[in-house]
Amino acid sequence: YSAKNHGGDFCFYRAELNQRLHQRMQLDFDLRRALEKDEFFFEYQPIIDARTGRISAVEALIRWNSPEKGRVMPDVFIGLAEETGLILPLGEWVVRKACAKLREWQEAGLPLVRMCINISGRQFMQGDIYNVVSSALKENGIDPRYLELELTETCLIQNVEETTKKLGMLKELNVSISVDDFGTGYSSLQYLKNFPIDRLKIDRGFIKNAPHFANHRAIVDAIIGIAKAMDLKVIAEGVETVEQAEFLKARNCDGLQGYYFYRPLAEEPLVVVLCSQGDEEAPPSHFLATRV
Ligand code: C2E
Ligand code: MG
Ligand code: MG
Ligand code: MG
């Protein structure tokens, strides 16, 4: 254990750190360019109404179509975008794109459902979220009830006063608000009660083990109970098996989302699915024709 050895470790450590830093800077650069070149897009995962079996909403999930790397998932870049602040313009892109898509679908005569979008913590706390949302709704002439903002529990409890103010303003626009990944953020029920929230989305970590482990079953039961007591709707994320779906239906969970029903879909298959459950049997042909 010599001093020399120590130095060697340190140099190795520093080289690795430099490399990691370099990779992150490169990714940051690529992401900024991707935003300019319009390389982001959505996949849409349907959310099922547990009572009727019909699609009641879709969650828009961002992906990056990178010329070098192919399709890149949000776990790879949302965290970095939050750290660097790129999430502010990227998050604005998400809001505007979602509203533009709603308008496009409406104009094409599709049976519309709510579009849920993810708002990151920094975007909510630091960004001008109210103006971004209200102008995107106005510019596209969207009925605000078709837009739902998903905020994480951790984000909401960072600054309760600020959250209360911002949520109140957003609610005045008549958009819906849901709490994403619920159960992972240790929020106080008292705060939840005071926030103008419409839905809780149970984190998929609890759903995963619910049919088999008594403690997870108890947590899911408790969350559904809390939601009902507070007059909130509750949605289960990550439903992968028929057992999970049956368990949640039996507990009167309102909405079901997960691979058991649908994976996140590209726009075209989503349109087909929406149309096939609408009053019309076939998608409006002019819509599909423009999407090839
Ligand atoms: P989330 O909002 O909790 O979204 C649900 C994630 O669970 C999605 O992953 C979805 O594909 C995945 N999922 C859905 N059903 C199942 C299932 O049955 N089993 C499993 N194992 N996974 C399932 P995805 O698309 O990779 O997104 C990951 C996270 O990235 C999202 O978690 C959300 O926090 C974030 N994200 C996605 N799009 C956006 C966006 O536009 N803006 C921001 N700020 N964050 C986003
Ligand atoms: Mg979400
Ligand atoms: Mg979630
Ligand atoms: Mg999540």
Side-chain angles (χ1 to χ4, degrees):
Y1 212 85
S2 69
K4 197 175 163 209
N5 235 333
H6 248 90
D9 284 351
F10 180 69
C11 283
F12 176 70
Y13 177 70
R14 218 170 63 168
E16 197 178 85
L17 209 71
N18 270 333
Q19 197 194 346
R20 283 236 304 270
L21 189 67
H22 178 78
Q23 280 171 354
R24 288 162 59 80
M25 285 169 65
Q26 182 66 51
L27 180 58
D28 179 47
F29 179 83
D30 291 345
L31 287 171
R32 285 170 199 276
R33 203 186 42 187
L35 190 57
E36 278 166 22
K37 293 169 87 186
D38 204 22
E39 288 170 359
F40 293 100
F41 66 102
F42 288 137
E43 287 185 327
Y44 306 90
Q45 188 176 34
I47 300 172
I48 308 298
D49 180 328
R51 276 181 314 129
T52 64
R54 291 170 62 86
I55 296 171
S56 53
V58 295
E59 178 171 2
L61 296 158
I62 197 170
R63 279 93 180 83
W64 168 30
N65 182 16
S66 157
E68 293 96 31
K69 296 177 228 183
R71 192 178 67 154
V72 184
M73 300 300 277
D75 288 338
V76 176
F77 59 85
I78 290 291
L80 182 67
E82 279 232 359
E83 282 173 43
T84 62
L86 182 67
I87 196 66
L88 297 176
L90 186 60
E92 183 165 343
W93 179 91
V94 167
V95 174
R96 294 192 180 283
K97 193 63 169 188
C99 289
K101 280 295 165 194
L102 277 171
R103 173 165 78 178
E104 198 183 320
W105 295 349
Q106 187 168 27
E107 281 174 354
L110 295 184
L112 282 195
V113 293
R114 255 182 304 121
M115 169 103 71
C116 310
I117 57 175
N118 293 283
I119 306 292
S120 88
R122 184 159 175 186
Q123 185 187 359
F124 181 72
M125 295 310 290
Q126 284 186 6
D128 192 2
I129 185 79
Y130 175 84
N131 280 325
V132 170
V133 171
S134 69
S135 68
L137 286 169
K138 261 191 223 112
E139 276 160 29
N140 292 287
I142 296 303
D143 180 341
R145 284 168 301 184
Y146 283 116
L147 189 67
E148 177 158 316
L149 310 182
E150 295 192 0
L151 295 147
T152 63
E153 204 182 356
T154 353
C155 155
L156 291 177
I157 56 170
Q158 271 172 37
N159 179 340
V160 173
E161 221 172 287
E162 187 70 14
T163 296
T164 309
K165 199 177 101 196
K166 287 196 155 178
L167 286 183
M169 287 172 71
L170 287 168
K171 269 321 278 186
E172 269 173 34
L173 293 173
N174 281 321
V175 296
S176 308
I177 310 280
S178 63
V179 184
D180 206 351
D181 303 342
F182 186 76
T184 60
Y186 311 102
S187 61
S188 145
L189 295 179
Q190 186 58 45
Y191 293 152
L192 267 190
K193 194 166 171 299
N194 292 333
F195 292 152
I197 290 164
D198 301 283
R199 285 179 192 79
L200 301 183
K201 297 188 76 173
I202 309 175
D203 190 74
R204 71 164 186 263
F206 300 117
I207 305 303
K208 190 173 161 65
N209 297 316
H212 305 293
F213 291 98
N215 56 342
H216 279 220
R217 211 156 47 230
I219 291 172
V220 172
D221 270 338
I223 294 176
I224 295 174
I226 290 165
K228 302 281 169 191
M230 291 185 171
D231 212 17
L232 303 174
K233 298 279 181 206
V234 59
I235 297 188
E237 292 188 320
V239 181
E240 291 185 357
T241 67
V242 63
E243 288 81 13
Q244 290 164 349
E246 291 308 322
F247 164 79
L248 291 158
K249 277 188 210 164
R251 299 301 200 275
N252 284 323
C253 187
D254 302 287
L256 307 172
Q257 178 181 7
Y259 295 168
Y260 176 67
F261 297 99
Y262 294 100
R263 295 199 166 243
L265 301 172
E267 185 176 4
E268 281 162 69
L270 175 79
V271 164
V272 171
V273 165
L274 283 181
C275 288
S276 69
Q277 75 145 19
D279 300 326
E280 313 86 53
E281 316 79 67
S285 51
H286 65 280
F287 184 81
L288 286 180
T290 61
R291 318 249 91 235
V292 185

